[in-house]
Amino acid sequence: MASDRRGTLGLAAAMLAAGLLLGSAAQARTDSALPPVQKSRAVEYLSGGIGLDESTAIQSASRQWPLSLVFSVQAAGKAEFASDVKLEIRDAKGAQVLETTASGPFLLAKLPPGSYSLRATLAGKTLDRKVQVKAGSSARVELVWPAGTNQGRP
């Protein structure tokens, strides 16, 4: 009976170790799938999400970033991801804190707590939004352009 118990405990320990290793490997794959962090003025950000691995990695990482943006265009009752969005973020005093062109449908930004104005432009159509970034949480804003917004495609 004692040897059965040792065998069961050994098996449980082996399964736990394998689970930890697989979890670490999955986390490493997620981290390596993230696009590089960039900097504009004092704001660190990353942008991308083209392809399943990268979009999954960004969505998973978004909980650790103060601001998470998603860009899409309404099409046939659903939203299709958009890229090449020109983005400008200004603080409550009107000072520009970030200006970039998103290379994919997701953009994560490390902004200090405060109120911000977003101006996102796709194919000449601009959307304006306000967002409040709070300490210890992640604000998510979805910017959806109307159907028919030409994304520069013929």
Side-chain angles (χ1 to χ4, degrees):
M1 183 93 116
S3 81
D4 284 348
R5 181 181 241 165
R6 278 193 297 259
T8 302
L9 289 175
L11 179 60
M15 290 174 65
L16 178 62
L20 291 173
L21 287 173
L22 288 173
S24 296
Q27 183 63 42
R29 276 196 310 275
T30 298
D31 290 346
S32 68
L34 285 173
V37 174
Q38 301 175 50
K39 194 166 188 173
S40 173
R41 293 177 171 70
V43 175
E44 288 185 349
Y45 70 97
L46 64 81
S47 175
I50 305 296
L52 183 60
D53 287 347
E54 192 173 276
S55 66
T56 301
I58 291 173
Q59 289 178 61
S60 177
S62 68
R63 292 181 288 273
Q64 285 82 45
W65 290 73
L67 180 62
S68 172
L69 303 177
V70 182
F71 309 114
S72 61
V73 175
Q74 200 64 283
K78 62 179 181 169
E80 293 182 354
F81 285 145
S83 61
D84 298 322
V85 174
K86 290 180 178 27
L87 177 69
E88 179 182 34
I89 301 177
R90 293 184 177 272
D91 66 16
K93 296 178 181 175
Q96 187 181 74
V97 295
L98 175 65
E99 183 178 27
T100 189
T101 299
S103 59
F106 300 99
L107 186 133
L108 307 179
K110 289 188 179 174
L111 295 172
S115 297
Y116 296 91
S117 298
L118 310 175
R119 174 165 279 220
T121 304
L122 176 65
K125 293 185 179 178
T126 300
L127 300 177
D128 292 305
R129 299 287 186 274
K130 301 276 188 200
V131 65
Q132 183 74 35
V133 173
K134 297 177 182 172
S137 67
S138 180
R140 178 182 164 97
V141 178
E142 294 187 27
L143 295 131
V144 183
W145 280 265
T149 299
N150 184 346
Q151 293 181 317
R153 297 180 186 149

